[in-house]
Amino acid sequence: LMERLGYRRYVAQGGDWGSFVSTWLGLVDPEHLAGIHLNMAVGFPTDAPMSDEEAEDLAAMGEFLNTGCAYQEIQGKNPQTLAYGLVDSPAGLAGWILEKFWAWCDHDGDVFEAVSRQAVLDNLTTYWVTGTAGSAARIYYETMATKRFGIHEARVEVPTALAQFPAEITRPPRSWVEAAYNLVQYNRYDRGGHFAALEQPDLLIEDVPGVGKTMLARSLARSIDCTVNRIQFTPDLLPSDITGVSVFDQVTREFQFKPGPVFANIVIGDE
């Protein structure tokens, strides 16, 4: 799809199901995908030592798997039965969805401290007026039936960034993430949960742009001449509307756009 739209390079970002989609994109389209940015990740278990904080995260994940996954069971095995109730009763739909907001957001007892009442109402209304609660639940059935739910068998080699929020439902140790992904950026935050784009949009937005540019530069190194510290751009690898180049400043650690010819060298750091 992205190639047909004219994008020869792109970056994917996702949490929840978007995390799974972005991960699979990294496996099936590494030639065009410059990298992925996730705010939820799964990992491959390792024997590497973990910090006390990571141990607490792992214990919380275990508790979630033991007590918080009933919705996965019914949506994965009997989604149609559930659908009749969700599309027939506004109260039933609200209860089903609001419970997840309460359980998965970062708050001190009032979920509307984490997400606005209007945002929750917008979410409920979208499902209600379109009657799509059933089809949305069915994705669990389809992926579980094909044994693809929440897992990937191969390591994702495209550059990957992870923003880890403290109330996320899955928080694997960093070593697990590194075993499953080519991890180039890892940031832990002190607030936010599963719905990071609604709860902490500023933190999420700040986490994405710089890594996107770094990913693009590193990805291009695979297909063009480069030395250890410099990547050489050629006109056919950049969009036709580019009228300059982005140069990475080693002092400010930021990319700066410089008007001029497309052909240039870009310093990307000590690696």
Side-chain angles (χ1 to χ4, degrees), residues 109-136:
D110 182 0
V111 67
F112 298 119
E113 294 177 355
V115 294
S116 72
R117 193 178 299 266
Q118 186 61 55
V120 173
L121 290 172
D122 290 345
N123 184 281
L124 292 171
T125 301
T126 300
Y127 282 106
W128 181 252
V129 300
T130 59
T132 51
S135 58

Side-chain angles (χ1 to χ4, degrees), residues 175-221:
S175 63
W176 293 24
V177 180
E178 290 174 332
Y181 298 88
N182 174 17
L183 192 66
V184 299
Q185 176 176 299
Y186 177 85
N187 291 321
R188 295 179 65 97
Y189 292 97
D190 60 1
R191 59 191 184 279
H194 183 69
F195 304 99
L198 287 176
E199 298 176 65
Q200 300 293 337
D202 291 341
L203 291 181
L204 186 62
I205 290 171
E206 290 174 2
D207 202 85
V208 176
V211 73
K213 295 174 182 177
T214 303
M215 286 175 176
L216 177 60
R218 294 184 180 187
S219 178
L220 287 173

Side-chain angles (χ1 to χ4, degrees), residues 14 28 32 55 60 64 71 80 84 87 106 130 146 150 156 209 231 239 247 251:
V28 302
H32 300 101
F64 167 74
Y71 76 100
Q80 194 63 30
Y84 295 128
V87 301
D106 185 19
T130 59
T146 56
V156 177
I231 288 182
V247 178
V251 177

Side-chain angles (χ1 to χ4, degrees), residues 134-186:
S135 58
R138 193 174 179 85
I139 191 173
Y140 286 81
Y141 176 84
E142 301 292 349
T143 53
M144 287 184 182
T146 56
K147 303 186 185 305
R148 284 185 161 186
F149 177 69
I151 62 172
H152 58 283
E153 296 180 352
R155 186 175 190 264
V156 177
E157 298 297 341
V158 300
T160 302
L162 174 62
Q164 191 93 293
F165 292 90
E168 180 56 79
I169 57 178
T170 61
R171 305 190 299 277
R174 178 170 182 167
S175 63
W176 293 24
V177 180
E178 290 174 332
Y181 298 88
N182 174 17
L183 192 66
V184 299
Q185 176 176 299
Y186 177 85

